[in-house]
Amino acid sequence: GIQVEQSPPDLILQEGANSTLRCNFSDSVNNLQWFHQNPWGQLINLFYIPSGTKQNGRLSATTVATERYSLLYISSSQTTDSGVYFCAKNYGGSQGNLIFGKGTKLSVKP
Amino acid sequence: SAVISQKPSRDICQRGTSLTIQCQVDSQVTMMFWYRQQPGQSLTLIATANQGSEATYESGFVIDKFPISRPNLTFSTLTVSNMSPEDSSIYLCSVELLPGYGYTFGSGTRLTVV
């Protein structure tokens, strides 16, 4: 089946540091999303990025569809960036649901 | 942007009882999705709910345990039936609000079964 693998599983940063999170997937992509789940469990949509590069403030994401990976960059990290970051892709076709990776748990220390 | 409202946000329930979770979208959508997130785990799809037809369940999930209603294009409910402590999870609904913009999730229902 389709696989979505994320690395690293855990990451501890000092406030102000930069980081790169990686997502590898086993099949072609027509929907690749990055989410941030905050400590209260709310899942926030960060990027919809099946290909190319997007930026939103201190966050940016790049997906290289031909090589089946996506990267999420966090610059100048803040304590509010803490939480779990998930990437997810869908099956495509008529199946619209998402398959999630296991996530990267980020802790930003003051 | 459109909003997904989910309630209750959290509940503590006795084993053997049932809880119904509601998901309301402020625009019409064809498909609504229900996910479960067990403690410390990733999200797993429970079922897909289409208006006017029975929900489609993923492997490992059955209608008797997780009955779903989809009475119109903006609303769905998921019931967790005959609960046990193993059902303690976060339950989330999701929709694709606009093609090409990805999927959006409700704020989730944190369920604890005691």
Side-chain angles (χ1 to χ4, degrees), chain A residues 2 20 38 81 84 108:
Chain A
I2 298 173
T20 301
N38 63 26
D81 295 331
V84 182
V108 181

Side-chain angles (χ1 to χ4, degrees), chain B:
Chain B
S1 61
V3 173
I4 305 176
S5 301
Q6 191 174 333
K7 59 181 181 181
S9 58
R10 58 177 60 232
D11 207 341
I12 300 174
C13 300
Q14 296 291 323
R15 68 175 66 202
T17 63
S18 299
L19 175 71
T20 295
I21 302 167
Q22 299 180 6
C23 183
Q24 176 77 51
V25 188
D26 67 358
S27 62
Q28 294 184 340
V29 293
T30 303
M31 292 189 288
M32 296 179 75
F33 304 93
W34 287 98
Y35 289 81
R36 179 178 74 180
Q37 185 180 26
Q38 295 177 300
Q41 303 297 313
S42 187
L43 282 76
T44 301
L45 182 70
I46 298 172
T48 301
N50 289 322
Q51 193 268 336
S53 64
E54 284 199 3
T56 302
Y57 289 82
E58 297 300 302
S59 175
F61 298 97
V62 295
I63 188 171
D64 290 346
K65 176 66 176 177
F66 297 101
I68 287 172
S69 78
R70 183 78 202 275
N72 57 53
L73 290 174
T74 63
F75 186 78
S76 177
T77 67
L78 170 76
T79 299
V80 186
S81 303
N82 188 24
M83 289 183 286
S84 67
E86 291 70 35
D87 294 320
S88 298
S89 297
I90 299 175
Y91 293 85
L92 302 103
C93 64
S94 174
V95 301
E96 183 184 30
L97 292 172
L98 285 174
Y101 285 84
Y103 293 82
T104 300
F105 284 77
S107 54
T109 297
R110 188 181 295 268
L111 171 63
T112 302
V113 184
V114 297

Side-chain angles (χ1 to χ4, degrees), chain A residues 5 13 21-22 26 33 44-45 52 55 69 85-86:
Chain A
E5 297 180 349
L13 296 176
L21 282 58
R22 186 176 181 103
S26 63
Q33 288 184 253
I44 308 299
N45 186 3
Q55 182 160 5
Y69 73 88
Y85 290 80
F86 290 103

